[in-house]
Amino acid sequence: MSESRSAKAAEIRRLMRTEGDAVARGTRGFNLGRYESVADLEDYEELKDRAREIKEDAIERLPELIDRLRERVEENGGTLYVAEDAADANRYVRRVAEDRGAGRLVKSKSMTTEELDLNDHLEAAGIDVVETDLGEWVLQVADESPSHIVAPAIHKSREEIAALFNEVFEPDEPLETAAELTAFARDELGELIAGADVGVTGANFVTADTGTIALVTSEGNARKTAVVPDTHVAVAGVEKVIPSVEDLRPFVELIGRSGTGQDITSYVSLLTPPVESPTVDFDDPDAPMADAAAERDFHLVLVDNGRTAMCEDDQLRETLYCIRCSACSNSCGNFQSVGGHAFGGETYSGGIATGWEAGVEGLDTAAEFNDLCTGCTRCVNACPVKIDIPWINTVVRDRINRGADPSAFDPLVEGLTPDAEPAGMSLQKRFFGNFSTVAKLGSATAPLSNWVANTGPARELMERTLGVDRRRDLPAFERETLRKWFDARGGSRVPAAAAAREAVVYPDLYTNHVQVDRGKATVRALEALGVHVRVPAVASSGRAPLSQGMVETAERHARDVYGALAEHVDAGRDVVVVEPSDLAMFEREYAKFLPETSHERLAGSSYEAMEYVYGLLRNGADASALRGAADAESAGVAYHSHCQQRTLGLEAHTVAVLEELGYDVLTSETECCGMAGSFGYKAEYYELSVDVGEPLREQFTSPEARGRTIAASGTSCLEQLESLLSRPTRHPIQLVAPRGGD
Amino acid sequence: MLESTPDGAEQTSLFPDLHVAVLRASDVLPDMGAAFERLGPRLREGRTPGANRSAIIATGPSATADMGALVRGAHGPREVHVVILEGGEVDE
Ligand code: SF4
């Protein structure tokens, strides 16, 4: 393995060992909570649409909104300052603190001030800075950085926090329970807040019609930070401005549910500073508050720091809609295993961090962790503002590839990589991105190719040059591809004239070269239901290059695929896709590559194999023509749907068909199997991919799953399950297709 | 909904361990949508001096999960009781 790859693998291994368990417990709890909480929302989809609309509109006319906001804030008696970059913002806040003669400044949680490194800057000026959010305070005491955008100390267990406090503060009675730790922190921080001169808060939203800052919190520290000291500074990115108070509604309903699975947080503070509340004199607790003169000072600092440039960037703009709820972290298999210290940049973490870090810090920072997004899309439906987070990761990966050093060009791999990509990108990426060429060669020379590839020296070479982990079994290429088999049997057994429908089975790369049996089963199942089938020559979907960030190559594939399938669609034939990640390409990414009508026609005619069977059965086809549980090795099935298939809402169709045929189906509870295409093959990520698959392994080896046939829809999932369970796996279509003699 | 008032209504509901909120049944709103319909005009017109321009939507005791488990009673009250007065008037 190359040095940088083994260093990366070692760092991931270390974080999985030291922080992985706490992160997994926390994020999986939040993620489950999200499912439960949004299930109660009748208008969940409408709220997300509305939230998205508000953000799109606000970012579109941001300068105008900031002007209006400035008027309001000034009318209210405060000051609005737009800071160009971090240094500018830090300077301004320091000046406010110094003018106030501040000895101590208290803060409530704000990722934006983390982005600015505000604390360091103020401390260098001799100001005592105290974080009052309990999680942030733990990190301040431990001198660590946040590993999650909402629960910053998620990587620390209660035991670790107790040990830390006992060591640092030496309380009379050692602290142990969460309640004791909380009470201790409350008392310590309560005093520090009481004696503070300036309070700095963030803002989840700022309304331009009133100059109100909305803070979504549960601890109550933000309320104290804002109203106890007489000087309040709110720091927020410019993208936090929305037009009106009423626009807050969808966000308030969505943010807690999407993030931590709370229907609503304890407090949503709508502060229009300077607030009317009197200041409290803690030295004279008997004095009525109402007598205190409310001489308050308020500064709103809106931070640009790269955001205006993001507004202009057609691909990164979406990032600015992000309300930092953390759903994309919690729903991510990789994040659940490693947390934000690996899956994150300078400040932000999780799937959307790629967009934030690319925009705020630059590509180099994003490049450090961007590979951890495998494009599984489990975050897509979870995002309350409907950001296409995997797409942002792909685009940034493409930019990173293009920025790479072209002198790393290798003529040997070039032969295998007929792509349109820059010469400097990593060999590993090019190898996986051009898997179609590898597969063609593999089948043409099978079984020799499989034998050679699996020899020790070959695996070592592959690991060293391409970063393919030698612990992973390689796909075994079939000499007879699906298309060859289909031609050899003389095409479809159902004549077109007698057919109820006509369909094209799309010979995706894996079904055609590796998992040929599931292709054959698809043909047989469709024919059993009266469908005339064709298996024409069609280019690979472009999924492989896209996953490596090779956008231009993927786009070329999209055009080729459409070119080959258009005549079939025109002739009224349905397109049946076995590999869910390829169907997801047709449905999602092709929207970005093809003209709108072309995309709609192709996507509208394409079906996942079991979805198609489901549709045929619903339209009157005879289920008894298929094979049922009575004729199976086991009537029990443990089924893991594919991540992208679930994002498309197509898991239920497979389960329904299997159940109709008498199978008893146990479905997996995991977001992603961890394999995610090429990811699990990569030497630096192999162990992580196995760790992500761990909950799935546990569930499918539990007593509940004993004796069941293991089924999965995606190639990667089948490979991952086979290696995790050391048991054979099937595609569901193989359970329902009549046994074939051909 | 707790307004920020010059006599410190907001702090009163924040610092003690126990917070008892008393409100009229007629002030109970069906959902968040209705709350924001009411809040919008209020916060906007509130820009005249002397009116209250800030409010807290409080839904229960303060809480945290930052110490490894959910704990009620973080920086704010540990216990919250809401007393709803049906029919009668509240003394202002
Ligand atoms: S990208 Fe979406 S899901 Fe991720 S933190 Fe932002 S709003 Fe939440």
Side-chain angles (χ1 to χ4, degrees), chain A residues 93 105-108 113 118 198-202 225 231-235:
Chain A
V93 179
L105 178 149
V106 285
K107 279 180 70 203
S108 67
T113 60
L118 177 67
V198 178
V200 172
T201 69
T225 303
T231 304
H232 175 195
V233 182
V235 181

Side-chain angles (χ1 to χ4, degrees), chain A residues 72 75-77 132-138 150-153 156-158 161 165 178-179 181-182 185-186 189-190 193 209-210 212 218-221 223-224 227-228 244-246 248-249 252-253 264-280 282 289-290 296, chain B residues 1-19 31-78 80:
Chain A
R72 292 296 167 264
E75 231 171 73
N76 295 341
T132 63
D133 172 87
L134 298 188
E136 288 284 354
W137 190 56
V138 167
V150 170
K156 294 190 101 60
S157 65
R158 174 180 58 80
I161 299 170
F165 280 13
L181 292 166
T182 303
R186 172 197 173 112
L189 290 169
I193 296 171
D209 62 339
T210 56
T212 302
S218 279
E219 291 184 0
N221 64 308
R223 293 175 62 187
K224 287 186 175 172
V227 302
V228 173
S244 74
V245 173
E246 282 85 345
L248 287 166
R249 187 215 159 182
V252 167
E253 302 237 41
I264 181 109
T265 51
S266 299
Y267 306 120
V268 178
S269 302
L270 306 171
L271 304 176
T272 314
V275 293
E276 290 78 4
S277 295
T279 51
V280 188
F282 287 87
M289 276 192 289
R296 289 178 173 276
Chain B
M1 195 130 63
L2 308 161
E3 294 198 337
S4 308
T5 58
D7 57 5
E10 210 235 299
Q11 285 99 326
T12 307
S13 66
L14 179 61
F15 285 88
D17 263 354
L18 170 66
H19 170 215
D31 56 24
M32 203 54 91
F36 278 100
E37 289 305 313
R38 195 180 276 206
L39 265 166
R42 190 126 177 180
L43 294 186
R44 273 189 295 274
E45 94 199 14
R47 279 185 288 103
T48 50
N52 305 321
R53 304 172 295 191
S54 301
I56 313 289
I57 302 173
T59 65
S62 68
T64 185
D66 284 348
M67 296 294 172
L70 180 70
V71 176
R72 284 184 217 293
H75 286 276
R78 199 184 309 265
V80 174

Side-chain angles (χ1 to χ4, degrees), chain A residues 149 321-329 352 356 379 382-387 389:
Chain A
I149 56 176
Y321 307 158
C322 171
I323 59 171
R324 304 199 183 150
C325 72
S326 81
C328 55
S329 300
I352 195 61
W356 282 118
C379 54
C383 176
V385 279
K386 300 189 145 188
I387 299 176
I389 300 155

Side-chain angles (χ1 to χ4, degrees), chain A residues 416-428:
Chain A
L416 280 178
T417 55
D419 57 46
E421 306 299 324
M425 69 181 281
S426 92
L427 292 187
Q428 186 191 50

Side-chain angles (χ1 to χ4, degrees), chain A residues 122-133:
Chain A
L122 294 173
E123 277 162 2
I127 299 165
D128 180 22
V129 180
V130 179
E131 294 284 355
T132 63
D133 172 87

